[in-house]
Amino acid sequence: MKTIASHIDPSVIALALDQSFNAVLLTDADEGEHRILYANQAFLRMTGYREDELLGRNARILQGPATNPEVIDRLRQCLRDGTHFQGSTINYRKNGRPYTVEWNISPVHNTAGEITHFISIQQDISSLMAAQNTTQLFAHVLNATDDGVVITDASGTIEFVNKGFEKITGYGLTEVLGRNPSMLKSGEQDPECYKDMWETLKKGRSYKGTFVNRSKNNELIYCDETITPLTDQADNITHYVSIFRDLTTRILEEQMFREMVRFDGLTGALTRAAGELALEKAYMQSRGSKLPMSIALADIDHFKHVNDTWGHTAGDTVLKAVSCSMIAALRANDSVIRWGGEEFLLIFNGCDLDQSLPLAERCRKAIQYNQHEHAGCITLSIGLGELQPDEALPDLIERVDKALYVAKNSGRNQTQVSRR
């Protein structure tokens, strides 16, 4: 039976093999020798040998120190058995440089079914192996960092996340592949932030910002994030790479610190520093809006006697109770500031004297009717004043302080109003 190849001129077959992209090697079937009978141009280019340096020799001349002996043993067994072989290992060029080869060897039978030759189709896969090694190294490096890394395609579909992402968000790789990073949105972020982000990225520029995301266990995550668009040779965006660092612990600590600085640890009232800022803000708002503003200075009567008689622990208990009572008695937009040792400054936003006097009296009476262990009944003396159109803030405070002094000297447990 004639095959298609039998109708083709052998010179055409030889020409085709010589122009083949893959390396082709033909050896005889003499066991133990397997002498090279033919090597095409691709094989010569791959190995660096001339044809006359290969013909009649065994292909073992290509082997070297890094050649895998197990692969060679398997190859020899296949040759002995007359079966097909497929494998890869490291061979060496004529100049001694190694390369990774992948090859298939098949037996060639004559019309009687006898094996007469072996033909080997080979390919240098060094670049492919290097690329795979680089990819593995790249993934290893990304997984070694504690920062989260997300790679998406141009439409925002997640294609890769590293171990840092899993640690920060709680989501595993299989849970996020094919999804969009918007799955992490917490709802706490200003929508304008995302609008600005996309406007920047669509221009091919990197975007850096702090995002409030939500983890798998529904906790807020504060992330310092940099998103970079990747482009092809035609400057078309193909991917986005996001690298983010978990700032949650630091931000929560800062918030806690700010709260500690803002509020007096004993009384829960604003500290003097935070109170001065609140007072300045109320003053500027009153000036800008033309709305009234009143303040009061409240001082605990005979507080020194409480400390001297019952000790500072009893005094601290009284301070805390007085502050809590005043905060509870006032409106949400009023402020209670620990102005001095046992002195508190109260801010009544949007209130004139007629409106602020009942508030001040409400505070005083709330304190008067409370009984304290050891100290008994505690009272307040209060000075109250309304900001005047041409009055500076220090002048208002001084005027209210004088009203407090009058309340003290007039029998205590009362509110004195300063009218200008």
Side-chain angles (χ1 to χ4, degrees):
M1 178 180 178
K2 291 186 176 181
T3 64
I4 295 175
S6 65
H7 295 285
I8 302 176
D9 187 335
S11 63
V12 174
I13 296 176
L15 186 63
L17 290 175
D18 263 343
Q19 294 181 16
S20 171
F21 172 79
N22 290 320
V24 179
L25 191 71
L26 185 70
T27 69
D28 63 28
D30 187 0
E31 188 172 348
E33 293 298 328
H34 298 294
R35 290 178 292 267
I36 298 172
L37 303 178
Y38 169 81
N40 72 345
Q41 292 300 312
F43 188 90
L44 300 179
R45 288 193 298 271
M46 182 175 71
T47 64
Y49 286 95
R50 300 191 311 272
E51 185 179 33
D52 62 294
E53 294 174 316
L54 293 173
L55 294 181
R57 304 186 68 180
N58 188 286
R60 70 173 61 94
I61 66 171
L62 302 173
Q63 297 173 21
T67 302
N68 190 330
E70 294 181 1
V71 174
I72 299 302
D73 288 343
R74 186 163 57 85
L75 181 154
R76 289 170 179 164
Q77 186 62 49
C78 288
L79 294 179
R80 285 192 293 270
D81 296 341
T83 56
H84 175 264
F85 168 83
Q86 182 178 19
S88 65
T89 189
I90 294 177
N91 275 346
Y92 290 83
R93 297 181 176 88
K94 179 182 176 180
N95 62 10
R97 291 180 59 189
Y99 66 98
T100 303
V101 62
E102 181 179 68
W103 76 104
N104 293 270
I105 300 177
S106 299
V108 179
H109 299 82
N110 61 16
T111 55
E114 300 169 333
I115 296 176
T116 60
H117 300 83
F118 287 96
I119 186 168
S120 174
I121 311 297
Q122 302 186 12
Q123 185 177 0
D124 182 356
I125 60 170
S126 301
S127 298
L128 176 62
M129 294 298 295
Q132 290 177 346
N133 291 336
T134 299
T135 300
Q136 291 173 355
L137 177 62
F138 175 70
H140 180 71
V141 169
L142 290 183
N143 283 325
T145 177
D146 290 332
D147 292 346
V149 179
V150 184
I151 300 177
T152 75
D153 63 16
S155 64
T157 301
I158 296 174
E159 295 184 347
F160 172 85
V161 298
N162 73 336
K163 296 294 184 183
F165 174 93
E166 296 181 13
K167 181 179 178 181
I168 294 171
T169 68
Y171 287 102
L173 175 63
T174 57
E175 295 177 288
V176 299
L177 285 180
R179 301 180 68 181
N180 192 287
S182 61
M183 62 180 286
L184 300 175
K185 281 186 177 181
S186 64
E188 302 287 330
Q189 201 87 20
D190 185 351
E192 286 297 316
C193 173
Y194 295 107
K195 181 181 178 182
D196 181 48
M197 177 193 77
W198 281 114
E199 287 178 353
T200 302
L201 293 176
K202 293 299 183 182
K203 294 176 183 176
R205 301 202 305 263
S206 294
Y207 180 85
K208 183 177 176 65
T210 300
F211 291 86
V212 185
N213 292 326
R214 195 173 293 279
S215 68
K216 184 178 178 179
N217 63 6
N218 208 36
E219 293 182 354
L220 293 179
I221 320 167
Y222 297 85
C223 300
D224 184 22
E225 189 165 359
T226 299
I227 306 173
T228 302
L230 302 182
T231 58
D232 58 19
Q233 293 181 341
D235 285 334
N236 296 313
I237 295 175
T238 61
H239 294 82
Y240 295 100
V241 178
S242 170
I243 302 176
F244 60 93
R245 178 163 296 177
D246 185 2
L247 302 179
T248 306
T249 300
R250 195 188 81 187
I251 287 179
L252 291 179
E253 287 176 349
E254 289 177 353
Q255 289 178 345
M256 187 180 298
F257 176 74
R258 284 196 295 268
E259 290 297 298
M260 290 171 62
V261 171
R262 187 178 179 210
F263 294 99
D264 179 59
L266 174 64
T267 65
L270 291 173
T271 62
R272 176 69 179 256
E276 287 177 345
L277 292 175
L279 190 58
E280 183 68 27
K281 180 180 178 180
Y283 174 79
M284 296 303 295
Q285 287 178 339
S286 177
R287 283 284 180 257
S289 64
K290 306 300 182 184
L291 292 174
M293 164 195 168
S294 298
I295 67 170
L297 279 171
D299 187 84
I300 301 175
D301 295 328
H302 304 298
F303 185 73
K304 185 177 183 301
H305 176 73
V306 172
N307 273 336
D308 292 344
T309 305
W310 305 109
H312 290 283
T313 300
D316 288 348
T317 301
V318 168
L319 282 170
K320 184 176 182 179
V322 167
S323 177
C324 290
S325 295
M326 287 193 295
I327 292 171
L330 294 179
R331 305 169 304 169
N333 63 329
D334 295 329
S335 298
V336 177
I337 306 163
R338 190 175 180 187
W339 201 246
E342 68 271 22
E343 190 174 67
F344 295 86
L345 188 143
L346 315 178
I347 303 174
F348 305 112
N349 290 294
C351 290
D352 57 20
L353 281 178
D354 291 337
Q355 295 166 315
S356 59
L357 181 56
L359 292 173
E361 280 292 283
R362 188 191 301 172
C363 289
R364 186 182 66 80
K365 291 176 181 177
I367 306 303
Q368 179 182 4
Y369 297 128
N370 285 336
Q371 291 289 322
H372 301 273
E373 186 179 6
H374 304 307
C377 179
I378 297 295
T379 60
L380 284 180
S381 295
I382 300 175
L384 176 67
E386 178 186 349
L387 179 67
Q388 299 301 304
D390 59 345
E391 189 173 26
L393 190 55
D395 294 335
L396 171 63
I397 297 173
E398 182 180 359
R399 191 158 55 82
V400 170
D401 189 51
K402 290 179 178 178
L404 172 61
Y405 183 78
V406 172
K408 286 283 188 184
N409 287 321
S410 300
R412 297 184 172 85
N413 190 24
Q414 58 184 273
T415 300
Q416 287 288 333
V417 177
S418 173
R419 300 182 185 276
R420 188 176 173 189

